[in-house]
Amino acid sequence: MAIETTLSIIKPDAVERNLIGKIISRFEEDGLRPVAIRRQHLSRAEAEGFYAVHKERPFFGELVEFMTRSPVVIMALRGEDAVAKNREIMGATNPAQAADGTIRKLYANSIGENSVHGSDSVENAAIEVAYFFRTTEIAD
C-alpha cells in the first residue's frame, strides 16, 4: 500500500453545525492524519477556480454559492491509500445511498449539502492539495 496525500474539505453545512471535530476524529480513527489544515471563507473566485471542472454543469452556480456562504475547513490528509480510504469514509455523494457509519450518512443534509469533499484520484489529489496549500505548509 502506498502512502498518499489527499484533499478533504469540510463544507459549510457541516461547519455551520459544529461538526468539525467529529469529522476530523473520524478520519484520524481510520488512519488518515491531517498534515495541513485551515479554516477559510472561500471567495467566489477561489470556489469557481476549484470547481472549474464542473463549470458547464447545471449545478455549478449553486455549488459555488453553497461553498462561499460560510467558512470551510480545508485539510491535506495523509495515510495508506489515502484517496480511496477518504472516499470510503465519506460515503456516497447521495447520503440516502451512503453506507451506514460514513460521514455523509451521519451528517449530510442532501446531495448538494453533503458535508465533505474528497479528491477522486491520486492525480486530482495532487492538483487539489496544491490549489490550497504551499508545500511548506504541509508538515508530516
Side-chain angles (χ1 to χ4, degrees):
M1 290 192 202
I3 300 297
E4 299 170 348
T5 303
T6 190
L7 188 82
S8 176
I9 301 175
I10 302 175
K11 295 181 177 181
D13 62 301
V15 172
E16 291 163 358
R17 290 180 288 138
N18 298 312
L19 298 172
I20 298 166
K22 289 179 181 180
I23 292 171
I24 292 173
S25 291
R26 182 65 207 288
F27 289 128
E28 289 179 320
E29 288 165 7
D30 284 347
L32 296 179
R33 83 184 151 7
V35 292
I37 186 169
R38 121 170 117 255
R39 181 180 173 120
Q40 177 178 334
H41 199 143
L42 296 178
S43 69
R44 174 169 292 286
E46 288 168 327
E48 287 175 346
F50 184 72
Y51 287 108
V53 66
H54 298 302
K55 189 169 182 135
E56 300 305 318
R57 301 188 112 165
F59 61 81
F60 179 74
E62 185 177 320
L63 176 61
V64 169
E65 288 298 318
F66 168 59
M67 292 299 291
T68 59
R69 83 175 185 203
S70 61
V72 297
V73 173
I74 306 164
M75 298 179 285
L77 300 173
R78 185 167 290 159
E80 288 187 10
D81 295 321
V83 173
K85 186 174 280 189
N86 181 27
R87 298 201 57 85
E88 180 183 324
I89 294 166
M90 287 189 313
T93 303
N94 182 346
Q97 297 172 348
D100 288 342
T102 61
I103 291 171
R104 288 176 172 156
K105 186 66 160 189
L106 293 169
Y107 305 123
N109 291 325
S110 65
I111 293 174
E113 294 192 12
N114 60 20
S115 298
V116 286
H117 164 88
S119 303
D120 63 2
S121 69
V122 172
E123 296 77 21
N124 282 341
I127 294 165
E128 291 180 354
V129 168
Y131 188 85
F132 287 110
F133 296 105
R134 296 184 316 264
T135 55
T136 58
E137 294 177 298
I138 300 172
D140 219 359

